[in-house]
Amino acid sequence: MGKPCVAIVDSNTFACIGLKDMLQNVMPIMDVDTFRSFAELEANRPEHYFHYFVNVNVVLEHKAFFVRKRPLYCLISLSLPYCRKAFTIYA
């Protein structure tokens, strides 16, 4: 079995770099890949990832995919109201 893989999906490059660095410091055994869009994730074997850290707007735009991955993703947002909206949709 290979290393656990985590995907970060966010158009904010600095947020992706910072989160990737934090995750790899906490769990150096994992591979962390970053994607600027859902299309980029989709083109790179999305089922391969153990967990997803995803911008809330991406989750809202691609509900069908993330409903199936419900326990496996964490929302990234700078705004609490958007997170509340996303949790309401999936609750």
Side-chain angles (χ1 to χ4, degrees):
M1 181 176 243
K3 289 180 167 184
C5 296
V6 173
I8 301 171
V9 185
D10 195 333
S11 61
N12 182 332
T13 302
F14 293 119
C16 288
I17 291 169
L19 182 54
K20 180 177 182 174
D21 186 58
M22 285 191 291
L23 291 170
Q24 288 180 319
N25 283 332
V26 172
M27 286 196 67
I29 63 160
M30 78 169 83
D31 285 331
V32 180
D33 296 329
T34 60
F35 303 99
R36 292 186 45 79
S37 68
F38 182 78
E40 199 176 315
L41 169 68
E42 231 176 4
N44 288 281
R45 302 181 331 156
E47 69 285 347
H48 172 74
Y49 295 97
F50 185 72
H51 281 293
Y52 305 83
F53 289 84
V54 187
N55 180 289
V56 68
N57 294 324
V58 173
V59 172
L60 292 173
E61 291 169 6
H62 303 281
K63 296 174 198 161
F65 177 83
F66 290 104
V67 164
R68 294 190 318 264
K69 306 289 184 189
R70 189 179 200 169
L72 303 176
Y73 72 88
C74 296
L75 296 175
I76 301 171
S77 177
L78 298 175
S79 175
L80 188 57
Y82 285 116
C83 285
R84 286 189 182 133
K85 182 178 178 184
F87 282 121
T88 302
I89 290 170
Y90 297 114

